[in-house]
Amino acid sequence: MPSISIPVLVLWGDKDPFTPLDGPVGKYFSSLPSKLSNVKLIVLEGVGHCPHDDKPELVHEKLLS
């Protein structure tokens, strides 16, 4: 991730059972916005591992803004 210079939007479901925010992968991605100015993390409430399947309207709202 540090070598990526384009804007990165990370959408993460707070109910993800496979890669929870408090797990090692989640902690890594949660830390990125404070280290890299091009990374933005949005945690989606009530969403699991596949936000685009669970709540496509919410994902679209975040992507299109």
Side-chain angles (χ1 to χ4, degrees), residues 31-56:
S31 73
L32 289 178
S34 66
K35 298 175 184 175
L36 303 171
S37 62
N38 64 312
V39 177
K40 180 177 181 180
L41 171 70
I42 299 176
V43 177
L44 303 173
E45 292 184 29
V47 178
H49 188 69
C50 296
H52 55 282
D53 289 335
D54 293 347
K55 292 195 176 178

Side-chain angles (χ1 to χ4, degrees), residues 11 44 47 50-53 55-64:
L11 301 176
L44 303 173
V47 178
C50 296
H52 55 282
D53 289 335
K55 292 195 176 178
E57 68 285 349
L58 184 57
V59 170
H60 294 161
E61 173 188 315
K62 302 303 179 189
L63 288 175
L64 294 174

